[in-house]
Amino acid sequence: MPDTIQLLPDHVANQIAAGEVVQRPASVVKELMENSIDAEADQITLLIKDAGKSLIQVIDNGRGMSATDARLSFERHATSKIKQATDLFDIHTKGFRGEALASIAAIAHVEMKTKIEGESLGNHLKLAGSEIVIQDPIACEKGTSIAVKNLFYNIPARRNFLKSSAVETRHIINEFQRVALAHPEISFSFFHNDNQIYKLNAQSVRKRIVSIFGKKIDEYLVPINESTEHLKISGFVGKPKTAKKKRGEQFFFVNNRFIKNAYLNHAVTNAFEELLGSGYYPSYFLYLEVPARSIDINIHPTKTEIKFEDEHTLYAILRASVKHSLGQYNVAPVLDFNRDASMDVPYDYKDKKALRPNIEVNPDFNPFKKEKLVQGPKSAQWESLYTGLNIENIETNTESDAQLFSDEKTDAKTYQIHNKYIVSSIKSGIVYIHQNLAHQRILYEEFLKNITVKDAASQQMLFPLEISFGKADIIAIREIQNDLESIGFMFGQFSENSIVVKGIPVTITESQIGTIIERLLEDIQSELPESSFSQVDIMSKSLAKSLAIKSGTKLDFKEQEEIVNRLFVCKQPDISPFGKTTFITVNINDIDKKFGL
Ligand code: ADP
Ligand code: MG
């Protein structure tokens, strides 16, 4: 048999490696910014166009590269960061694999300008498909600028696989936030389509958090400080009030590298125990410093997962220090920026076991009671669920179960049982309708239709409402603004950290607006990684879930009828938008059988 093994040509090998390193525009952002940090830059600018699909550029004032290094940097396994295998166990830089630039150059057009301190001229390189097409001297500033254009231009399948601009932008913002939070000592600016989104001066951790997430977070931050021989923990946790229904602002940094770690996350969540309602996630910004030799960051190519030598101890210390600080915040006033550092002196860890944190527990305490606006509608809100309803407009699918079913429906009365099910008699027997799931289906179809038809009823507000959001959220809202308008929202001014709402869909009340938009943003974000659904679908689902009448709400006869009638003109009345059964029927013959008839 002839030999069959061949070495893959470099450009093919690079494209394959690129698949691991570059999943989406945000991966390029991460790699380039990390390189700038490794080059000891203290000013980093990020520019993106079209959610990074047409341009991602990072400009730094770091060390720069010589002509030879500039050329070599695009070779696979070319790195200045490790020299021998043993270095792998003592990593102090973000990169060390020497894969990022080679991978990026394999799937995009790249242009680099770089100059070392003291040289009169810098180097200019252009690459396409891993090949250097131009290299010449250029006059430029000290540091490095790398522009990545037309990502995945040569892999249409990958390019088509990219999500909407809203989603890709959100990923980029997440990545930017992680890097910026990990390095408050560095100034960053970030432009999206020529609009400046962030301008962050070198500042303290606390100020960095506030600059990114908005002023209102400041009063909610509880400082954490802990020092043992092999570990330092610092940072902040959010008071229970800031907890989110979806995993939101949760950041762990280990030696200034953002990481995800379910075990440590558990330690923090656990420390909150009684303070959080179930299903709520605490916010935290925690910085761990451990000896580089005690961790292994080599297990994942994109390096957000790491292994610790002694996870159990770490867990215990982390949980105890969060608990301790939470206990203290109940009595201690909020500390301001200029606080006396001595107030943060870590207490002696050895004594900690004996010290039960001073947390007053009220078993009925629900920190969200006041804020939880999307509750079972009170009668006034409930009324509004029906105003503007236009049943005639909803197309009926003659072949659907719905039609068969509504033919079958007699004029019989409906009943509500356990404030949860609507029961009604039908020709063939009895139907049980789950009020919450059924209403989700009704609203879901209504929103979907409104978004596509764009003729939703809107109620103008007497006094426009200004709501503040973080910058990232403002950008996200802009991205979905058209869709929101087609379901009845009307917006006024967008500023850096607030939006003005002038009109809302007739199905919601003013007090629900903030929560609904926030939930919507969280849902869009949490659907990011796997969902193949369109954004319109996610939005409709999210709103339907927020607004559907809850189990436990008492409905009068008219309201019950309304649900029944509207459900059975739906295109798919039998399942909720999340795939749950909305109603069941019991056949009269089966009832007869139970009586032995
Ligand atoms: P790694 O970061 O794993 O070493 P990269 O492919 O990201 O691999 O970068 C290759 C090399 O190019 C780096 O080791 C570094 O020497 C050089 N380099 C990349 N970006 C910069 C930059 N912004 N400033 C200075 N040198 C850089
Ligand atoms: Mg790198």
Side-chain angles (χ1 to χ4, degrees), residues 170 201 227 233 270 296 351 359 388 453 464 515 523:
R170 184 73 228 188
N201 296 324
S227 223
I233 303 174
N270 194 279
D296 180 1
D351 296 335
I359 304 172
V453 184
T515 327
D523 282 346

Side-chain angles (χ1 to χ4, degrees), residues 222 237-238 240 271-272 275 321-330 359:
V222 179
V237 295
F272 272 82
L275 293 168
S321 34
V322 172
K323 241 183 141 132
H324 174 80
S325 297
L326 283 174
Q328 273 193 332
Y329 103 78
N330 265 353
I359 304 172

Side-chain angles (χ1 to χ4, degrees), residues 375-389:
Q375 286 171 335
K378 317 265 173 322
S379 54
Q381 288 179 333
W382 176 233
E383 283 305 310
S384 75
L385 286 171
Y386 289 128
T387 48
L389 167 74

Side-chain angles (χ1 to χ4, degrees), residues 31 34-35 38 81 94-96 98 100-101 303:
E31 294 296 338
E34 289 190 346
N35 278 346
D38 284 343
K81 300 170 194 175
K94 310 265 175 194
F96 54 86
L101 290 185
K303 295 163 286 180

Side-chain angles (χ1 to χ4, degrees), residues 297-503:
I297 43 185
N298 204 8
I299 56 173
H300 195 271
T302 52
K303 295 163 286 180
T304 53
E305 276 141 45
I306 65 175
K307 269 224 241 347
F308 295 95
E309 225 168 54
D310 186 0
E311 268 192 340
H312 288 297
T313 313
L314 193 52
Y315 182 101
I317 297 178
L318 187 58
R319 179 169 173 278
S321 34
V322 172
K323 241 183 141 132
H324 174 80
S325 297
L326 283 174
Q328 273 193 332
Y329 103 78
N330 265 353
V331 287
V334 179
L335 305 171
D336 68 7
F337 286 147
N338 305 318
R339 67 184 191 275
D340 181 351
S342 64
M343 288 180 73
D344 284 341
V345 169
Y347 59 106
D348 188 350
Y349 181 60
K350 274 182 250 106
D351 296 335
K352 215 180 298 176
K353 280 191 203 104
L355 204 147
R356 172 88 185 155
N358 174 21
I359 304 172
E360 280 190 27
V361 184
N362 165 2
D364 298 325
F365 173 62
N366 176 353
F368 307 99
K369 256 201 182 122
K370 246 196 272 159
E371 296 187 344
K372 208 173 152 197
L373 300 165
V374 193
Q375 286 171 335
K378 317 265 173 322
S379 54
Q381 288 179 333
W382 176 233
E383 283 305 310
S384 75
L385 286 171
Y386 289 128
T387 48
L389 167 74
N390 202 345
I391 294 181
E392 291 86 340
N393 267 352
I394 302 173
E395 224 178 278
T396 319
N397 180 347
T398 39
E399 263 135 47
S400 71
D401 311 346
Q403 190 61 42
L404 295 175
F405 187 83
S406 58
D407 280 349
E408 210 183 11
K409 197 178 156 291
T410 63
D411 285 337
K413 251 182 123 67
T414 56
Y415 303 89
Q416 189 190 25
I417 54 172
H418 291 245
N419 288 346
K420 192 170 15 172
Y421 294 101
I422 301 168
V423 186
S424 181
S425 165
I426 50 172
K427 273 189 194 152
S428 61
I430 297 180
V431 62
Y432 294 86
I433 298 167
H434 190 283
Q435 64 189 42
N436 171 255
L437 297 171
H439 199 212
Q440 284 186 20
R441 162 55 59 181
I442 295 166
L443 292 176
Y444 170 66
E445 292 202 5
E446 198 171 294
F447 287 130
L448 264 188
K449 176 172 158 280
N450 287 341
I451 291 177
T452 18
V453 184
K454 298 189 190 295
D455 69 347
S458 182
Q459 45 180 333
Q460 188 121 19
M461 287 160 58
L462 209 48
F463 304 103
L465 187 70
E466 186 170 356
I467 313 178
S468 41
F469 285 100
K471 282 182 189 162
D473 285 343
I474 301 276
I475 297 159
I477 295 169
R478 266 186 193 287
E479 301 273 4
I480 55 173
Q481 185 179 351
N482 281 343
D483 289 336
L484 287 172
E485 282 169 353
S486 48
I487 57 172
F489 280 96
M490 293 190 288
F491 296 100
Q493 193 82 25
F494 275 72
S495 79
E496 275 216 326
N497 40 29
S498 72
I499 60 170
V500 173
V501 180
K502 295 202 317 210

Side-chain angles (χ1 to χ4, degrees), residues 76-216:
R76 204 140 57 95
H77 307 307
T79 179
S80 55
K81 300 170 194 175
I82 53 172
K83 298 209 158 57
Q84 54 207 18
T86 47
D87 292 346
L88 272 178
F89 302 103
D90 197 15
I91 299 275
H92 295 271
T93 50
K94 310 265 175 194
F96 54 86
R97 294 167 167 265
E99 281 177 330
L101 290 185
S103 297
I104 294 168
I107 47 153
H109 295 119
V110 179
E111 181 168 12
M112 178 200 269
K113 292 175 189 164
T114 183
K115 191 172 83 94
I116 301 180
E117 174 116 74
E119 296 278 318
S120 55
L121 282 179
N123 307 286
H124 176 216
L125 277 88
K126 272 189 170 183
L127 291 95
S130 297
E131 296 290 322
I132 296 178
V133 290
I134 291 179
Q135 175 165 19
D136 46 25
I138 194 171
C140 60
E141 295 290 306
K142 173 209 167 196
T144 304
S145 154
I146 298 182
V148 176
K149 294 177 188 162
N150 311 320
L151 191 66
F152 299 131
Y153 77 99
N154 52 356
I155 317 182
R158 297 290 303 278
R159 198 168 167 92
N160 296 336
F161 191 68
L162 291 176
K163 296 279 160 66
S164 69
S165 291
V167 170
E168 295 301 343
T169 305
R170 184 73 228 188
H171 278 291
I172 291 175
I173 290 172
N174 285 349
E175 214 57 79
F176 176 86
Q177 289 181 345
R178 291 168 182 175
V179 177
L181 284 170
H183 291 279
E185 77 285 0
I186 297 178
S187 338
F188 291 95
S189 36
F190 178 7
F191 293 83
H192 182 204
N193 294 336
D194 297 325
N195 299 317
Q196 184 156 41
I197 293 172
Y198 288 109
K199 183 177 185 331
L200 306 169
N201 296 324
Q203 53 200 164
S204 68
V205 172
R206 184 170 192 138
K207 284 192 170 158
R208 178 62 47 102
I209 295 170
V210 172
S211 316
I212 292 180
F213 296 104
K215 280 210 181 65
K216 70 180 172 192

